[in-house]
Amino acid sequence: DSLDVCEDMADDVVATGALQFLEVVTRTVAAGRSVAQIEGGEVPVGVADPDPIGRALGELDEWDVQDQMSELVDFGQTEESTTELATRPVPETDEEEEAGSPLAIKISLVAQNFLAAEDGAQQLLALKIVQNAITALTQTRDLLPLINDVWPALVNRLDRGRDLFYVTLAACDVIEAVCRLGESWMRKRVHDDLWLYFARVLRGSSPLLVAQRASERDLVFRILRTMRTVVYHVPLDDPTAWDLTWLSMRYLEYEPLASHVLDLLRAMVPVYGDKIWLVLAKLGVGTDGSLLPADIPNLGIPADIKVPANICQAI
């Protein structure tokens, strides 16, 4: 019934209630439990629950609207959300690893229609449902097809969700999870879609103004953190790695942006250290004096980038 309501794109109140219920269902599937074993109401193993759906609905009835919005906004701002996603247990039997949950797949495909909804709560619920479904399909053959289906809608939330800032942050959380699980399969998507948007934000923002404005600062934080996750799990092509290096260094001059940039650069060193060294050498930092900035051809790096003298030690 909840799927039918969502597929029919019913009025906002009804659709939001259906999405709330579907979020509980997918969260339960992702945790490898029955619908009855929702948070705060575990059913002992081996004991049948006479009304599991009623229990789930009861949880939703007790979910105050204001608490709901608080939880959803936290979803877009909680740093540990993708870490929790990546550490969830995965099915151990061969049968479960071969195919994912058809229910989770269908719910996520329906929910993605609400990623473009005007209602912020509906967008956040849809993002949580997609994240839950991806978790439920970890190490199954259905994971990558689902990512392929929902990826365009996720990327669109980055740009079109900026009028609802917390939606953009939540979309970054889900994208981090997708990159953790999709790994090298995500390489072209990162280059063609994700980095296209991130680079536009990093290029078009003034580091000084970003440091002074909370919303813009939080967005740059999230971009730097998301790209750090990408660096750990997804191989970058050379142009993307190069642009990421010097664009992130634009923000080294301003705290607390600098600490996030350093975290990203530390993650890049093992694979992309040559690019970091070349940018620093062009900026006159990190060499023994035998190589001067003038000796290096113009690489398109702005001359006004300022980096700490001890950056090599910091990295």
Side-chain angles (χ1 to χ4, degrees), residues 7-308:
E7 287 176 333
D8 293 340
M9 301 294 285
D11 67 82
D12 284 347
V13 175
V14 177
T16 299
L19 285 170
Q20 290 172 354
F21 175 69
L22 294 176
E23 193 281 319
V24 173
V25 172
T26 53
R27 172 158 39 101
T28 304
V29 173
R33 299 177 294 179
S34 68
V35 174
Q37 293 172 296
I38 56 179
E39 292 179 4
E42 293 288 340
V43 175
V45 176
V47 178
D49 185 16
D51 187 14
I53 304 301
R55 288 169 55 84
L57 287 170
E59 181 191 66
L60 292 174
D61 289 339
E62 296 171 1
W63 192 6
D64 181 79
V65 173
Q66 294 302 320
D67 290 340
Q68 166 198 339
M69 285 305 300
S70 175
E71 178 179 336
L72 292 174
V73 172
D74 288 343
F75 165 69
Q77 298 177 339
T78 301
E79 186 158 351
E80 301 303 322
S81 58
T82 51
T83 302
E84 178 185 354
L85 172 68
T87 56
R88 291 271 181 84
V90 297
E92 297 181 357
T93 66
D94 293 339
E95 181 178 352
E96 289 178 318
E97 290 179 351
E98 289 179 0
S101 164
L103 177 62
I105 294 170
K106 183 172 183 179
I107 291 175
S108 64
L109 293 178
V110 170
Q112 72 170 307
N113 296 325
F114 288 88
L115 291 176
E118 294 183 3
D119 186 279
Q122 289 183 359
Q123 291 186 48
L124 289 169
L125 281 165
L127 285 167
K128 292 187 75 172
I129 288 170
V130 169
Q131 187 181 48
N132 292 341
I134 289 170
T135 305
L137 298 180
T138 301
Q139 295 188 357
T140 72
R141 66 188 180 203
D142 295 310
L143 173 65
L144 298 184
L146 178 62
I147 291 176
N148 186 65
D149 286 334
V150 302
W151 178 253
L154 286 176
V155 174
N156 283 340
R157 280 309 87 212
L158 294 176
D159 201 0
R160 299 176 187 175
R162 291 191 71 179
D163 53 336
L164 296 172
F165 179 65
Y166 47 85
V167 173
T168 300
L169 300 186
C172 286
D173 276 351
V174 182
I175 286 171
E176 278 193 70
V178 166
C179 290
R180 288 177 191 273
L181 298 174
E183 297 185 319
S184 59
W185 187 78
M186 294 298 301
R187 179 174 182 171
K188 189 174 188 302
R189 289 162 179 80
V190 167
H191 175 267
D192 293 349
D193 305 318
L194 184 63
W195 180 241
L196 195 66
Y197 169 73
F198 282 176
R200 187 167 72 247
V201 173
L202 294 178
R203 280 193 175 97
S205 302
S206 162
L208 176 59
L209 292 179
V210 167
Q212 296 173 344
R213 297 174 180 171
S215 61
E216 293 188 27
R217 185 173 63 245
D218 288 345
L219 178 58
V220 171
F221 285 170
R222 194 55 58 93
I223 288 175
L224 294 172
R225 198 190 76 182
T226 301
M227 288 308 299
R228 184 183 65 191
T229 298
V230 170
V231 164
Y232 278 130
H233 298 278
V234 181
L236 299 179
D237 59 276
D238 283 341
T240 299
W242 172 255
D243 287 343
L244 176 60
T245 302
W246 72 264
L247 281 172
S248 64
M249 285 188 185
R250 293 179 64 226
Y251 297 87
L252 273 171
E253 187 177 358
Y254 303 100
E255 287 290 352
L257 294 164
S259 60
H260 292 266
V261 176
L262 289 173
D263 286 343
L264 171 61
L265 295 176
R266 292 185 188 108
M268 294 181 69
V269 164
V271 180
Y272 310 105
D274 55 336
K275 295 171 178 58
I276 295 174
W277 177 86
L278 189 56
V279 172
L280 292 177
K282 183 63 177 176
L283 296 174
V285 179
T287 67
D288 58 6
S290 59
L291 181 65
L292 300 176
D295 299 329
I296 302 174
N298 180 19
L299 301 172
I301 303 172
D304 60 350
I305 295 179
K306 297 179 181 179
V307 297

